[in-house]
């Protein structure tokens, strides 16, 4: 297939004035994956383009965007922004399944291919080599995919999708940032979120943990090395590699970051519903997309929660944008994006600020009263009022229940049990870290006390995406929520949640708490805290509730969603994004010598054949529960056989 360049196709094509997408430019259309064919779907094409949106500030749907009333306008009185767009669709649109999966970029990157197709980076971003499609799950199904740049505080670059949005030139205001370097080099360099209005106003403090007093010890200094670059000279003694450095300054020229929500809404609606030649997903003057699912990982999962909360699932014609939303590994968090001098890339981690703008009420999909903020709200309050609510599947790693206040999904602000609405499901993938690449292996690193947990969440995520499609297209209810709950006794106070007698698996109540603070003053004034609970572990140290993948259902090690920091790197706090693994003893004798209460591998499985049989039985049960696809059950059995043969030297 020949390249179709902007000069020869759709160059500068303008849409009708009433459309929010006023121009869609196709820059390139090329074969994807070296022309690799995917069963009945055939080959795919990759389309690279730019979408220009023009947002009407007078439309109530747009009024929620911070500073939209102050943004520069075009001749028609609208605010423009330009989004990078990448599309993957079947080369023959008639072979598609009618589903558009919008993978909201994470810091400009594509992550759905890694999770659903086991595609490795950087190939997941390129889609050029045949291997970049991984197992081809999405492509064999005939799914079309879209990536729409939404983050306006990062540059557009190869492999990084962004949004070009207007700035408020000359506007200044305070900004506060935290840096945790995990090294002891001095001076340490750091990039600020915003350009400085006056470098002379830079200040820096240091402390070991968030709860400690801010300090300015001898030797601590900061200087500007560029408009958004600083150099911090660290004190010679008293603080380890994980000390928390807080920088304050006067920032200038804020970008209207909230336009990223409008760009996602408007471009997704355009790709789904526009039937004209301007839409690369249309064919013969008709849309080929019949349903749309919004998916986001971590930062972009939090983006989707805010997208829903602020009412952006209603397009400017009053129609539903996404039939289904799948925020992944977002916990009970949101974003610090739709605010002046927002920090879309910031995600405060243990032991950083527990009351940052990413951690404000509302936390869950039910409309509730909150005594600390004095508000009544919920993530679905707005969409309930105009019947634009999507079906929601929120999926989280176990790590989110330790580090991202996951319990607030299923408790009210006072800590009481909460049932989710009928159109919402929540799933915790037990024993998993925040995110592990396909092919990750157990390893050690000097910053963590325990070996790194390599569990990849692809198999249950493929099953749940399949269930989401059936829920939308056929009305077939998906599997019931699988999360720890107060009413079930599986969501408990941190103290005692994990057995204390497992050698090499220390747990002392570590978790990230949730607070509400007055952010209008500095330092922020804490007003109160919300109760936070964690998953109850079994006698092996693994979560009882949630989706227990085969390594937990038929275990040879303990897998956790938490991993403490090592000595010298903030010991006594959680290492961000990671879980841990603690292998079982091979024999009873080795277990007894180590005083390990967990049965050894030889005590659990009579021989390799028994282990393989147990894997097959557990996989069949998960298939029956619609938490594993048959093809993934077959892969699991093949891996079990291969592992056993490797142990036998065959």
């Amino acid at each position: 297939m020949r390249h179709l360049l902007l000069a020869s196709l759709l160059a500068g094509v303008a849409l009708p004035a009433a459309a929010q997408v006023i121009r869609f430019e196709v820059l390139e259309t090329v074969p994807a994956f070296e022309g690799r064919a995917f069963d009945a779907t055939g080959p795919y094409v990759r389309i690279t383009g730019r979408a220009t949106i023009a947002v009407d500030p007078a439309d109530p749907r747009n009024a929620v965007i911070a500073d939209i009333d102050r943004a520069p306008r075009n001749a028609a009185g609208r605010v423009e922004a330009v989004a990078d767009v990448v599309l993957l669709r079947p080369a023959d649109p008639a072979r598609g399944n009618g589903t558009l999966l919008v993978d909201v970029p994470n810091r400009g990157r594509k992550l759905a291919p890694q999770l659903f197709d086991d595609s490795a980076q950087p190939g997941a971003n390129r889609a050029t080599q045949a291997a970049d499609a991984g197992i081809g799950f999405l492509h064999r199904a005939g799914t079309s995919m879209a990536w729409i740049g939404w983050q306006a505080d990062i540059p557009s670059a190869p492999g990084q999708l962004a949004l070009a949005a207007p700035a408020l030139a000359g506007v200044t205001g305070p900004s506060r940032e935290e840096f945790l370097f995990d090294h002891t080099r001095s001076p340490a360099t750091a990039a600020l979120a915003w350009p400085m209005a006056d470098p002379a106003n830079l200040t820096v403090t240091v402390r070991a943990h968030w709860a400690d007093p801010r300090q300015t010890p001898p030797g601590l200094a900061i200087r500007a090395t560029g408009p958004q670059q600083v150099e911090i000279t660290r004190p010679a003694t008293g603080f380890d590699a994980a000390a928390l450095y807080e920088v304050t300054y006067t920032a200038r020229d804020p970008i209207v970051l909230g336009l990223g929500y409008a760009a996602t809404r408007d471009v997704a609606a355009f790709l789904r519903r526009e039937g004209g030649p301007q839409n690369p997903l249309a064919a013969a003057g008709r849309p080929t997309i019949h349903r749309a699912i919004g998916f986001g990982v971590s930062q972009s999962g939090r983006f989707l929660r805010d997208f829903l909360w602020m009412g952006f699932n209603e397009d400017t014609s009053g129609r539903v944008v996404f039939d289904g939303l799948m925020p992944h590994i977002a916990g009970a968090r949101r974003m610090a994006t739709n605010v002046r001098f927002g920090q879309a890339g910031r995600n405060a981690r243990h032991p950083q600020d527990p009351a940052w703008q990413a951690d404000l009420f509302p936390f869950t999909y039910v409309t509730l009263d909150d005594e600390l903020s004095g508000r009544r709200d919920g993530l679905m309050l707005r969409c309930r009022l105009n019947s634009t609510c999507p079906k929601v599947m929120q999926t989280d790693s176990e790590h989110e229940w330790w580090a991202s206040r996951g319990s607030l999904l299923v408790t009210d602000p006072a800590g009481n049990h909460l049932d989710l609405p009928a159109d919402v499901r929540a799933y915790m993938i037990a024993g998993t870290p925040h995110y592990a690449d396909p092919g990750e292996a157990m390893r050690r690193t000097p910053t963590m006390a325990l070996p790194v947990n390599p569990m990849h969440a692809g198999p249950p995520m493929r099953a749940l995406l399949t269930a989401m499609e059936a829920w939308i297209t056929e009305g077939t209810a998906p599997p019931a929520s699988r999360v720890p709950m107060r009413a079930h006794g599986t969501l408990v106070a941190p103290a005692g949640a994990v057995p204390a007698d497992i050698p090499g698996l220390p747990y002392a109540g570590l978790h990230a708490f949730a607070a509400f603070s007055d952010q209008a003053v500095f330092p922020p004034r804490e007003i109160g805290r919300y109760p936070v609970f964690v998953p109850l572990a079994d006698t092996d140290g693994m979560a009882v509730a949630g989706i227990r993948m085969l390594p937990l259902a038929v275990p040879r090690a303990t897998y956790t969603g938490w991993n403490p920091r090592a000595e010298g790197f903030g010991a006594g706090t959680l290492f961000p994004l990671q879980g841990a693994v603690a292998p079982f003893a091979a024999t009873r004798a080795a277990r007894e010598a180590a005083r390990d209460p967990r049965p050894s591998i030889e005590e659990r499985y009579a021989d390799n054949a028994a282990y393989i049989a147990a894997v097959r039985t557990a996989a069949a049960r998960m298939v029956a529960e619609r938490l594993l696809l048959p093809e993934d059950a077959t892969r699991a059995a093949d891996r079990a056989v291969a592992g056993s043969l490797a142990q036998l030297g065959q």
Side-chain angles (χ1 to χ4, degrees):
M1 183 181 296
R2 295 180 295 111
H3 289 211
L4 300 178
L5 300 178
L6 174 62
S8 62
L9 180 65
L10 300 183
V13 172
L15 274 70
Q20 298 298 299
V21 174
I22 60 170
R23 184 177 302 104
F24 195 100
E25 304 166 287
V26 172
L27 305 177
E28 183 183 60
T29 301
V30 296
F33 312 117
E34 296 180 299
R36 174 180 168 184
F38 300 93
D39 297 346
T41 307
Y44 267 67
V45 294
R46 188 190 74 231
I47 302 166
T48 303
R50 285 193 298 257
T52 301
I53 65 168
V55 174
D56 182 2
D59 189 323
R61 301 174 184 90
N62 299 323
V64 69
I65 299 172
D67 285 327
I68 189 69
D69 57 328
R70 303 186 62 173
R73 305 186 186 190
N74 63 17
R78 296 193 172 195
V79 178
E80 293 190 13
V82 182
D84 296 330
V85 180
V86 174
L87 308 171
L88 284 174
R89 66 159 174 81
D92 179 358
R95 297 189 180 188
N97 65 0
T99 295
L100 175 65
L101 180 69
V102 177
D103 176 23
V104 178
N106 176 303
R107 294 164 177 82
R109 302 167 299 165
K110 308 168 187 173
L111 292 184
Q114 286 184 279
L115 202 58
F116 293 117
D117 290 317
D118 291 357
S119 175
Q121 290 285 22
N125 264 325
R126 294 189 307 234
T128 54
Q129 303 299 312
D132 293 346
I135 62 174
F137 167 74
L138 293 170
H139 315 87
R140 285 183 278 114
T143 303
S144 295
M145 288 153 268
W147 294 269
I148 303 163
W150 64 270
Q151 194 170 343
D153 58 348
I154 61 173
S156 176
Q160 182 168 286
L161 288 85
L163 180 75
L168 307 182
V171 172
T172 62
S175 186
R176 177 173 67 93
E177 304 190 34
E178 295 173 333
F179 298 99
L180 193 159
F181 295 110
D182 271 335
H183 63 70
T184 56
R185 296 189 296 274
S186 183
T189 59
L192 301 179
W194 297 99
M196 292 170 275
D198 182 1
N201 289 337
L202 269 175
T203 67
V204 62
T205 62
V206 63
R207 50 194 157 154
H209 304 295
W210 169 258
D212 296 340
R214 295 168 172 82
Q215 299 183 46
T216 54
L220 177 65
I222 187 170
R223 71 182 185 94
T225 57
Q228 289 181 242
Q229 302 291 324
V230 296
E231 185 179 85
I232 298 173
T233 301
R234 308 170 76 170
T237 59
F239 298 93
D240 70 9
L244 185 61
Y245 293 84
E246 186 173 60
V247 175
T248 60
Y249 61 102
T250 301
R252 61 176 173 83
D253 304 337
I255 299 170
V256 185
L257 298 180
L259 283 167
Y261 298 102
T264 301
R265 174 196 66 193
D266 296 341
V267 177
F270 164 79
L271 293 170
R272 173 178 181 170
R273 302 188 187 278
E274 173 63 41
Q278 304 92 340
N279 184 358
L281 298 186
R286 301 175 64 87
T288 62
I289 301 302
H290 308 304
R291 66 201 70 90
I293 298 172
F295 174 76
V297 176
S298 190
Q299 179 207 36
S300 45
R302 294 184 288 118
F303 173 96
L304 285 178
R305 285 166 52 86
D306 264 9
F307 179 93
L308 178 61
W309 172 63
M310 290 188 288
F312 282 101
N313 204 48
E314 178 192 15
D315 72 12
T316 54
S317 296
R319 301 168 300 188
V320 169
V321 178
F322 294 116
D323 303 281
L325 281 186
M326 296 184 71
H328 183 56
I329 54 177
R333 314 190 83 169
R334 297 194 288 105
M335 300 195 78
T337 298
N338 191 40
V339 291
R340 184 176 295 177
F341 295 114
Q343 296 178 31
R346 178 172 173 171
N347 182 17
R349 298 161 180 165
H350 198 234
Q352 294 173 293
D353 185 350
W356 183 244
Q357 292 154 318
D359 297 299
L360 296 179
F361 177 84
F363 307 110
T364 188
Y365 299 92
V366 182
T367 299
L368 300 168
D369 294 306
D370 175 37
E371 290 188 3
L372 291 182
S373 65
R375 296 172 52 208
R376 178 174 176 79
D377 208 345
L379 297 181
M380 301 181 95
L381 175 60
R382 288 169 177 80
C383 71
R384 294 285 186 220
L385 296 176
N386 56 23
S387 300
T388 59
C389 288
K391 292 173 168 53
V392 175
M393 281 186 178
Q394 177 158 333
T395 52
D396 284 301
S397 76
E398 185 186 317
H399 181 79
E400 269 52 63
W401 293 72
W402 302 91
S404 294
R405 301 94 170 158
S407 66
L408 289 167
L409 280 175
V410 290
T411 64
D412 66 19
N416 301 308
H417 170 84
L418 187 70
D419 288 320
L420 293 171
D423 51 357
V424 176
R425 297 289 189 275
Y427 304 97
M428 182 188 81
I429 305 176
T432 52
H434 180 72
Y435 194 81
D437 292 334
E440 178 69 278
M442 185 180 76
R443 54 186 170 84
R444 297 206 72 114
T445 176
T447 56
M448 292 175 235
L450 301 174
V452 173
N453 184 334
M455 288 258 283
H456 175 61
M461 291 302 298
R462 287 188 279 272
L464 292 174
L465 178 60
T466 301
M468 173 62 90
E469 289 214 57
W471 199 10
I472 293 169
T473 59
E474 303 165 14
T476 302
S481 293
R482 296 282 188 107
V483 293
M485 290 188 178
R486 297 285 287 156
H488 297 171
T490 54
L491 188 61
V492 298
V498 179
D501 58 350
I502 300 176
L505 201 67
Y507 179 73
L510 292 180
H511 71 289
F513 60 89
F516 179 71
S517 294
D518 180 359
Q519 296 278 339
V521 298
F522 182 79
R525 181 177 64 89
E526 184 175 308
I527 295 172
R529 295 189 180 184
Y530 302 97
V532 172
F533 303 93
V534 299
L536 176 70
D538 61 17
T539 55
D540 285 330
M542 294 188 283
V544 173
I547 297 175
R548 291 170 61 95
M549 289 199 293
L550 295 175
L552 274 72
V554 192
R556 292 191 286 190
T558 294
Y559 295 90
T560 76
W562 52 270
N563 196 330
R565 284 180 168 273
E567 289 295 331
F569 293 91
T573 59
L574 291 171
F575 196 88
L577 311 183
Q578 299 297 333
V581 58
F584 297 154
T587 65
R588 178 175 180 175
R591 174 180 70 79
E592 291 176 342
R595 297 185 177 180
D596 190 338
R598 301 171 299 167
S600 65
I601 291 176
E602 77 171 5
E603 292 172 289
R604 293 170 188 264
Y605 314 109
D607 51 28
N608 285 329
Y611 170 72
I612 294 168
V615 169
R616 286 179 170 148
T617 298
R621 182 173 61 251
M622 290 189 71
V623 170
E625 294 172 340
R626 299 169 61 207
L627 299 172
L628 191 69
L629 298 178
E631 65 180 79
D632 279 314
T634 299
R635 290 190 192 98
D638 290 345
R639 283 193 296 270
V641 171
S644 296
L645 292 176
Q647 287 183 349
L648 296 171
Q650 299 183 27

